DNA sequence: CGGGTTTGACCGGCGC
DNA sequence: GCGCCGGTCAAACCCG
């Protein structure tokens, strides 16, 4: 990027130089510009040095020391302005034309450069995705090996499929319909369809699949019929299902997916982060040790959707908003909701695959010990009796991404601002993407490379979460009271920060949970 | 009037 | 058994 910037500067210098040699016919100027571009493309370093020399020389001699500049350009100019008297003797009427032409040439150069950079970016993105997929497969093999002797085979498959889905959700720009936070889809078995969410066609099946996974797991069967039943089981107001829930927790080692939480830390002055879903606040409590109240939301996009989230400001830094997600949606998600869904899904899948063995409030495992910055320690605190993974999006542009001490929970500090190229990923850059402050933050080229490398080397889920989080940040307008705007702007991966007191639910939500 | 939020009450888990 | 605490409920209230 820096190089590009310098190149652009060089272009401008070149234009100045051309202006110095104004009075050149248009066609020949275009030709020279073409040469110029080629020179810029393949010998930029040399060109820069030449440019430097040129500027120095221009200080001494404004006539343009053409011989010092790239031979291609200078030769052409010299040849074309072989009659120096012509260019020098141009009238005042001709000079504006020449400048105009020069500007056109510059514009063309810049356009050409932009095209070239864009193609480079596409290439990088393709390579990135390719590498991501390969790494994902390798990690999955490793995970299967590591867990094979300990974990239930179903869990392995669950995680595998979950991560696959998570990655696929990103590989495909299509909106994903299922937030597999706790229950990543397990198999392709679609024999049992959910009756509770008729609007859904295929995605809901994953929930059902998981339910059968649970039932098929050794131990007690959990009476789960459909999504709404699961809702009542895990979240519903019925008391008897809560007993089932506790039973599930008793066998959490066998059914760990049901209780994973994904906590997203993000800096936001807004009271909550809009993730594209519709939430209804159903409670608020003052949590101990935190002066800021904790708000409880449940998803209202579909009847019986079990997904809930807690929103609370960090006690230490009140500018940090902590959003904790639980459950998985049993309904299709709007494009705007897929980002966070994929993020939480990937994070939960990663957490669960590596932390399902710890139940004692002890750091579950270093799932990725080679990651210095992403300590994936899943702790089971008293306040959070479930494995909780934290996606830390609070890394500022000036923060040192990898020096952050590992928090107590599984945490993935996401140096969002080091991924400007990802912002241009067609998967996550919808056409109507509004300009965002986050776009201005990605100006750390060196860190970007390191970060991307580390991210790729770490885990595809991490990268998936990262990308989704980036999209989340970048698509966040300062105020967004209109859910329609949020969901219809096509910002598939760009949930917005909502304004205070503005319920994200402005769309008519007739499906109010009982 | 429908849908949301607010807020006090209630419930269950957990530690002492 | 008791109290604390997190989570949830539901009536009251607010708003468009």
């Amino acid at each position: 990027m820096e190089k590009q910037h310098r190149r652009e500067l060089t272009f401008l210098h070149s234009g100045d130089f051309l202006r110095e040699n104004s009075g050149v016919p248009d066609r020949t100027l275009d030709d020279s510009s073409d040469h110029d571009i080629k020179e810029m493309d393949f010998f930029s370093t040399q060109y820069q040095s030449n440019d430097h020399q040129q500027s120095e020389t221009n200080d001494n001699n404004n006539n343009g020391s053409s011989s010092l500049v790239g031979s291609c350009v200078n030769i052409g100019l010299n040849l074309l302005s072989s009659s120096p008297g012509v260019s020098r003797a141009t009238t005042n009427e001709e000079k504006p034309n020449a400048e105009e032409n020069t500007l056109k040439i510059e514009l063309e150069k810049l356009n050409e450069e932009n095209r070239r950079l864009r193609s480079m970016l596409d290439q990088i993105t393709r390579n990135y995705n390719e590498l991501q997929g390969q790494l994902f497969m390798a990690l999955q093999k490793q995970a299967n090996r590591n867990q094979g002797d300990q974990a239930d085979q179903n869990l392995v498959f669950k995680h595998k499929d979950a991560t696959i889905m998570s990655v696929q959700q990103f590989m495909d720009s299509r909106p994903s319909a299922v937030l597999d936070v706790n229950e990543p889809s397990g198999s392709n078995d679609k024999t049992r369809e959910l009756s509770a969410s008729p609007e859904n066609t295929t995605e809901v099946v994953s929930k059902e699949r998981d339910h059968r996974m649970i039932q098929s797991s050794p131990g007690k069967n959990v009476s789960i019929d459909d999504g709404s039943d699961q809702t009542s089981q895990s979240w519903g107001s019925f008391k008897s299902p809560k007993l089932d829930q506790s039973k599930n927790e008793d066998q959490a080692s066998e059914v760990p997916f049901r209780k994973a939480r994904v906590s997203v830390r993000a800096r936001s002055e807004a009271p909550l982060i809009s993730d594209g879903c519709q939430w209804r606040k159903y409670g608020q409590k003052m949590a101990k040790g935190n002066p800021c109240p904790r708000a409880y939301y449940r998803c209202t996009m579909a009847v019986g959707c079990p997904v809930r989230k807690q929103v609370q400001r960090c006690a230490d830094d009140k500018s940090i908003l902590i959003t904790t997600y639980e459950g998985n949606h049993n309904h299709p998600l709007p494009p705007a909701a897929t980002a966070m869904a994929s993020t939480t899904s990937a994070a939960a899948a990663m957490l669960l695959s590596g932390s399902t063995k710890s139940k004692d409030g002890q750091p579950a495992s270093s799932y990725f010990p080679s990651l210095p910055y992403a300590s994936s320690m899943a702790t089971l605190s008293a306040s959070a009796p479930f494995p909780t993974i934290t996606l830390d999006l609070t890394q500022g542009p000036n923060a040192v991404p990898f020096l952050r001490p590992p928090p107590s929970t599984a945490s993935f500090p996401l140096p969002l601002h080091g991924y400007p190229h990802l912002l241009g990923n067609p998967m996550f850059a919808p056409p109507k993407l509004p300009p965002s402050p986050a776009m201005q933050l990605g100006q750390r080229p060196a860190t970007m490379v390191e970060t991307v490398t580390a991210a790729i080397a770490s885990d595809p889920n991490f990268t998936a979460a990262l990308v989704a989080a980036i999209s989340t940040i970048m698509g966040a307008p300062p105020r967004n009271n209109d859910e329609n705007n949020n969901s219809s702007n096509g910002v598939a991966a760009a949930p917005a920060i909502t304004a205070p007191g503005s319920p994200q639910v402005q769309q008519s939500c007739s499906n109010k949970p009982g």
Side-chain angles (χ1 to χ4, degrees), chain A residues 46 84 171 227 273 302 341 347 358 365 410 441 477 496:
Chain A
Q46 175 188 354
M171 303 298 257
I273 295 176
S358 84
S365 64
L441 300 176

Side-chain angles (χ1 to χ4, degrees), chain A residues 5 35 47 56 59 88 102 139 165 194 220 239 246-247 262 273 286 307 361 427 458 491:
Chain A
H5 184 61
H35 294 155
Y47 186 85
E56 279 184 354
D59 292 339
R88 300 288 168 93
T102 305
L139 283 174
M165 170 172 279
L194 280 182
K220 291 174 288 187
K239 303 306 175 186
S246 61
K247 290 178 184 177
V262 178
I273 295 176
M286 292 300 298
V307 177
M427 296 186 297
S458 63
V491 185

Side-chain angles (χ1 to χ4, degrees), chain A residues 24 53 56 64 76 133 147 161 193 257-258 262 298 339 370 375 382 417 422 460 462 495 502:
Chain A
V24 182
Q53 292 180 4
E56 279 184 354
Q147 294 185 356
D161 289 344
E193 291 292 334
F257 281 18
R258 307 191 58 78
V262 178
R298 72 161 53 95
S370 60
S375 67
H417 316 290
L422 289 180
F462 169 73
S502 67

Side-chain angles (χ1 to χ4, degrees), chain A residues 167 302 448:
Chain A
V167 170
M448 172 188 71

Side-chain angles (χ1 to χ4, degrees), chain A residues 45-341:
Chain A
T45 303
Q46 175 188 354
Y47 186 85
Q48 286 167 9
S49 64
N50 288 338
D51 182 70
H52 180 63
Q53 292 180 4
Q54 173 218 336
S55 58
E56 279 184 354
T57 312
N58 283 345
D59 292 339
N60 299 329
N61 183 5
N62 283 338
N63 288 340
S65 58
S66 56
S67 61
L68 294 178
V69 195
S71 59
C72 183
V73 176
N74 297 325
I75 289 174
L77 290 174
N78 284 336
L79 287 176
L80 294 170
S81 59
S82 56
S83 57
V86 175
S87 72
R88 300 288 168 93
T90 49
T91 63
N92 291 336
E93 296 175 355
E94 291 172 345
K95 277 187 178 178
N97 287 336
E99 289 186 4
E100 201 173 332
N101 294 331
T102 305
L103 290 175
K104 284 181 183 177
I105 294 167
E106 291 177 26
L107 191 62
E108 289 176 1
K109 289 178 191 173
L110 292 175
N111 287 336
E112 179 68 23
E113 180 74 1
N114 282 337
R115 277 194 294 270
R116 208 169 54 81
L117 291 172
R118 199 164 299 178
S119 64
M120 287 173 57
L121 183 62
D122 291 341
Q123 180 70 28
I124 291 173
T125 302
R126 279 194 297 270
N127 293 340
Y128 172 79
N129 292 332
E130 215 170 299
L131 193 59
Q132 187 183 38
Q134 293 176 5
L135 202 72
F136 160 73
M137 295 306 296
L139 283 174
Q140 285 309 312
K141 287 180 181 177
Q142 184 179 357
N144 288 341
R145 248 184 278 123
N146 292 340
Q147 294 185 356
D149 53 347
Q150 299 176 353
D152 185 17
Q153 195 75 9
N154 288 338
L155 299 182
V156 176
F157 285 124
K158 275 183 179 180
H159 171 60
K160 186 174 182 177
D161 289 344
T163 47
I164 288 175
M165 170 172 279
S166 301
V167 170
Q168 285 177 344
Q169 286 172 349
F170 284 90
M171 303 298 257
D172 306 339
S173 57
R174 300 169 305 178
S176 74
V178 175
L179 170 60
D180 294 312
V181 173
N182 289 345
E183 303 173 84
S185 58
S187 68
N188 292 328
D189 191 355
K190 298 182 179 179
T191 54
R192 290 174 58 179
E193 291 292 334
L194 280 182
S195 60
S197 55
E199 74 277 8
N200 196 353
T201 55
T202 58
E203 292 85 355
V204 178
V205 178
S206 67
K207 171 184 294 296
E208 189 63 15
R209 283 176 271 167
D210 289 330
H211 292 169
R212 258 174 295 113
M213 281 296 195
I214 293 165
Q215 296 175 11
S216 63
S217 63
K220 291 174 288 187
N221 286 345
V222 181
S223 61
I224 303 170
D225 292 331
D226 54 17
S228 25
D229 280 354
Q230 192 236 352
T231 300
S232 60
Q233 178 209 356
S234 297
W235 296 100
S237 59
F238 307 107
K239 303 306 175 186
S240 53
K242 285 192 174 183
L243 297 176
D244 292 339
Q245 177 182 356
S246 61
K247 290 178 184 177
N248 289 338
E249 292 180 27
D250 290 341
Q251 39 179 309
S253 61
E254 300 168 357
V255 194
F257 281 18
R258 307 191 58 78
K259 287 304 164 188
R261 288 181 175 179
V262 178
S263 180
V264 179
R265 291 165 54 93
R267 289 193 185 278
S268 172
E269 299 302 323
L272 59 90
I273 295 176
S274 171
D275 42 25
C277 290
Q278 298 173 354
W279 303 95
R280 177 184 176 185
K281 189 176 183 177
Y282 66 89
Q284 181 169 316
K285 287 282 284 190
M286 292 300 298
K288 189 182 180 183
N290 193 333
C292 302
R294 175 184 301 165
Y296 300 90
Y297 296 86
R298 72 161 53 95
C299 178
T300 61
M301 293 192 73
V303 178
C305 180
V307 177
R308 303 194 178 189
K309 74 173 180 180
Q310 302 173 4
V311 179
Q312 188 175 29
R313 294 212 167 270
C314 181
D316 297 332
D317 187 352
K318 291 179 181 177
S319 66
I320 296 177
L321 199 66
I322 303 173
T323 306
T324 304
Y325 293 88
E326 281 189 51
N328 67 312
H329 296 279
N330 61 358
H331 54 85
L333 290 173
T338 48
M340 191 60 74

Side-chain angles (χ1 to χ4, degrees), chain A residues 175-176 274-277 301 333-342 430 468 471-472 475 480 483-496 507:
Chain A
S176 74
S274 171
D275 42 25
C277 290
M301 293 192 73
L333 290 173
T338 48
M340 191 60 74
S342 300
S471 308
T472 300
N480 187 358
E483 179 67 18
N484 290 323
N485 185 26
N486 191 15
S487 60
S488 65
N489 60 2
V491 185
Q507 288 178 348

